């Protein structure tokens, strides 16, 4: 299963039950190895949690605006070309998917920017008597990643520290208490990479990720590839025709040479295979 299949998967879980309530927590940037760290922290704080674990594929390039947006749209990125460089349309795409499945706007919740602080906003949104399908973006791990200078070990340490805080288990408790079936996934993972140099492309790149560059034409992409012959020109299957990705070489990133970074955008297993977990309380 690829991430854009998830809403349909959730709709099937609902079936004909017009009272079913489902919450999808998308922990932006959470790699599978980091999920194991989170799981251990959750289990130690809440021994009653049960985890049914699967895996799904992220989109390539493994960027938030591509993969997370596809998750909430329930569609391949080729179907949202006008917003593929931003996540601003996610609430509308999430609402549209559920509208197409017979739900009203009052039954659909979308919130992002979660991960620390209090849960009043979430609690208020879920308290609407008709709220049935919640899409919740937790972006704390992605923020940790983009400030990470200590590699994979540093990521594990920081993610563990965050997961030991009460936020995530309190969020899950809140959802379970309100009768939601809770699923947790991620839009992409991340890897530790070494810099291979920055493309000096001026303003020709539409998107500049550390592990991927996006160009509007083959000529522009080809010119940059000349300098980085080991980089991979990715095809546009499922992507808009003018969304041409140049992926950094294996375990490398388009940053200063020899610089270590934790990033995403490429096609490593760690970036592309993410967890899909159903979380419940054992015995319920």
């Amino acid at each position: 299963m690829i991430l854009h299949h998830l809403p349909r998967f959730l709709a099937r879980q609902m079936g004909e039950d017009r009272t079913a309530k489902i919450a999808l927590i998308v922990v932006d940037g959470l790699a599978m190895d980091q999920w194991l760290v989170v799981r251990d922290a959750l289990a130690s704080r809440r021994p009653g949690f049960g985890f049914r674990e699967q895996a799904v594929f992220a989109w390539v390039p493994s960027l938030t605006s591509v993969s997370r947006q596809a998750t909430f749209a329930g569609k391949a990125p080729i179907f949202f070309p006008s917003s593929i460089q931003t996540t601003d349309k996610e609430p509308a795409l999430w609402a549209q998917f559920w509208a197409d499945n017979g739900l009203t706007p009052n039954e659909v919740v979308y919130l992002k920017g979660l991960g620390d602080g209090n849960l009043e906003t979430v609690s208020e949104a879920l308290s609407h008597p008709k709220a049935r399908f919640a899409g919740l973006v937790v972006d704390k791990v992605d923020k940790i990643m983009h400030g990470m200078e200590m590699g994979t070990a540093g990521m594990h340490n920081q993610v563990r520290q965050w997961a030991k805080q009460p936020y995530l288990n309190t969020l899950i408790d809140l959802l379970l208490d309100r009768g939601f079936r809770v699923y947790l996934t991620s839009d992409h993972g991340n890897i530790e990479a070494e810099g291979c140099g920055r493309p000096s492309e001026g303003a020709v790149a539409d998107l500049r990720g550390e592990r991927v560059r996006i160009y509007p034409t083959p000529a522009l992409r080809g010119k940059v590839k000349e300098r980085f012959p080991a980089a991979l020109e990715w095809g546009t299957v499922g992507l808009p025709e003018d969304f041409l990705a140049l992926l950094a070489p294996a375990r490398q990133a388009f940053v200063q040479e020899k610089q270590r970074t934790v990033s995403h955008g490429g096609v490593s297993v760690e970036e592309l295979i993410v967890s899909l977990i159903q979380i419940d309380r054992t015995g319920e």
Side-chain angles (χ1 to χ4, degrees), residues 33-50:
D33 57 312
Q34 291 143 18
W35 156 248
L36 300 179
V37 171
V38 171
R39 183 188 65 189
D40 289 348
L42 286 174
S44 67
R45 290 187 68 91
R46 291 289 188 276
F49 279 172

Side-chain angles (χ1 to χ4, degrees):
M1 185 161 65
I2 307 174
L3 279 171
H4 72 284
H5 296 137
L6 259 185
R8 272 178 281 168
F9 166 79
L10 298 177
R12 285 198 300 273
Q13 305 306 304
M14 174 182 74
E16 298 302 313
D17 184 355
R18 303 305 297 176
T19 63
K21 299 166 79 171
I22 292 178
L24 177 64
I25 302 171
V26 179
V27 183
D28 195 316
L30 184 73
M32 189 172 278
D33 57 312
Q34 291 143 18
W35 156 248
L36 300 179
V37 171
V38 171
R39 183 188 65 189
D40 289 348
L42 286 174
S44 67
R45 290 187 68 91
R46 291 289 188 276
F49 279 172
F51 306 102
R52 292 182 221 174
E53 300 175 272
Q54 305 176 55
V56 290
F57 284 102
W59 266 88
V60 181
S62 49
L63 294 169
T64 297
S65 64
V66 176
S67 208
R68 197 179 87 191
Q69 194 167 191
T71 305
F72 285 109
K75 298 175 181 175
I78 194 172
F79 294 109
F80 48 84
S82 63
S83 63
I84 196 166
Q85 296 185 30
T86 174
T87 57
D88 293 347
K89 294 285 178 63
E90 281 180 355
L93 291 166
W94 179 243
Q96 183 61 52
F97 175 86
W98 292 111
D100 292 344
N101 280 269
L103 274 71
T104 65
N106 286 340
E107 294 177 289
V108 181
V109 172
Y110 171 92
L111 293 170
K112 67 177 179 179
L114 308 177
D116 44 28
N118 64 51
L119 286 159
E120 285 179 16
T121 307
V122 180
S123 181
E124 186 178 334
L126 298 179
S127 66
H128 193 289
K130 289 190 174 180
R132 290 183 55 210
F133 281 83
L136 307 172
V137 178
V138 174
D139 57 10
K140 186 67 176 180
V141 173
D142 198 59
K143 288 179 179 175
I144 291 171
M145 175 178 55
H146 287 295
M148 180 50 58
E149 297 178 354
M150 303 297 290
T152 299
M155 276 298 297
H156 281 196
N157 188 36
Q158 292 269 312
V159 169
R160 183 179 294 107
Q161 292 301 318
W162 170 71
K164 284 182 174 178
Q165 302 299 313
Y167 187 92
L168 187 58
N169 64 264
T170 305
L171 172 61
I172 295 166
D173 274 332
L174 173 65
L175 291 163
L176 293 172
D177 289 345
R178 298 283 176 90
F180 283 85
R181 250 183 265 179
V182 178
Y183 291 86
L184 184 147
T185 192
S186 175
D187 55 342
H188 57 76
N190 54 73
I191 63 163
E192 183 175 351
E194 183 176 280
C196 60
R198 295 180 191 274
S200 53
E201 68 234 319
V204 300
D206 287 341
L207 271 177
R208 295 179 184 82
E210 290 187 342
R211 291 261 299 145
V212 62
R213 288 289 204 273
I214 306 298
Y215 300 96
T217 69
L220 290 171
R221 180 173 66 174
K223 193 173 179 182
V224 177
K225 181 173 166 60
E226 287 175 10
R227 190 189 153 196
F228 299 93
L232 176 63
E233 293 180 313
W234 192 255
T236 55
V237 174
L239 299 167
E241 286 184 6
D242 60 352
F243 196 79
L244 300 169
L246 183 68
L247 307 178
R251 308 275 157 189
Q252 294 186 318
F254 292 126
V255 298
Q256 185 178 334
E257 286 190 33
K258 304 301 180 185
Q259 178 185 333
R260 305 295 298 181
T261 183
V262 177
S263 54
H264 60 95
V267 289
S268 70
V269 169
E270 295 94 325
E271 291 165 295
L272 284 190
I273 300 180
V274 294
S275 300
L276 172 62
I277 320 296
Q278 184 177 358
I279 304 174
D280 54 21
R281 293 189 180 113
T282 52
E284 288 190 3

